[in-house]
Amino acid sequence: MGEKGNDPGQLAAATVTAAIEPSVIERVTTTTTATLIDSSGDVLAKVRDKTVDHTADAVFEGARDRIKRKDPEAETSAVADPAGGADDEQPSS
């Protein structure tokens, strides 16, 4: 008979149980990694949203400036040729 505590069946059961259940270090590492990935995803989403907002604001501001600004060349050409046709057209006879 073997010594008490050295039963090969118990050793095999303990090995299988240890292989199935993660250790404390594995659980902490997994939890920490998941938390960091989720947090970084949230930060990246916020940065992306801010970037899109700032870009859209800049585009709209530029459009407002162009609308407010009067183009003297456009007004002059509209007055000179109210029909909007080309200047080099020949009148038909």
Side-chain angles (χ1 to χ4, degrees):
M1 272 181 112
E3 295 179 23
K4 185 176 181 181
N6 290 334
D7 184 18
Q10 289 179 349
L11 180 60
T15 305
V16 169
T17 303
I20 294 173
E21 294 183 18
S23 68
V24 173
I25 294 173
E26 289 173 323
R27 286 184 289 198
V28 169
T29 303
T30 303
T31 304
T32 305
T33 303
T35 303
L36 288 174
I37 289 173
D38 289 344
S39 298
S40 63
D42 292 343
V43 168
L44 289 175
K46 286 180 183 179
V47 168
R48 183 189 65 225
D49 291 345
K50 293 277 186 185
T51 303
V52 169
D53 288 345
H54 287 297
T55 303
D57 289 344
V59 169
F60 287 128
E61 186 64 31
R64 282 189 207 108
D65 288 345
R66 283 189 294 264
I67 290 171
K68 288 179 184 178
R69 189 175 11 155
K70 294 185 178 183
D71 188 8
E73 292 179 16
E75 289 178 5
T76 306
S77 64
V79 171
D81 189 10
D87 291 336
D88 58 351
E89 281 185 22
Q90 298 294 329
S92 60
S93 18

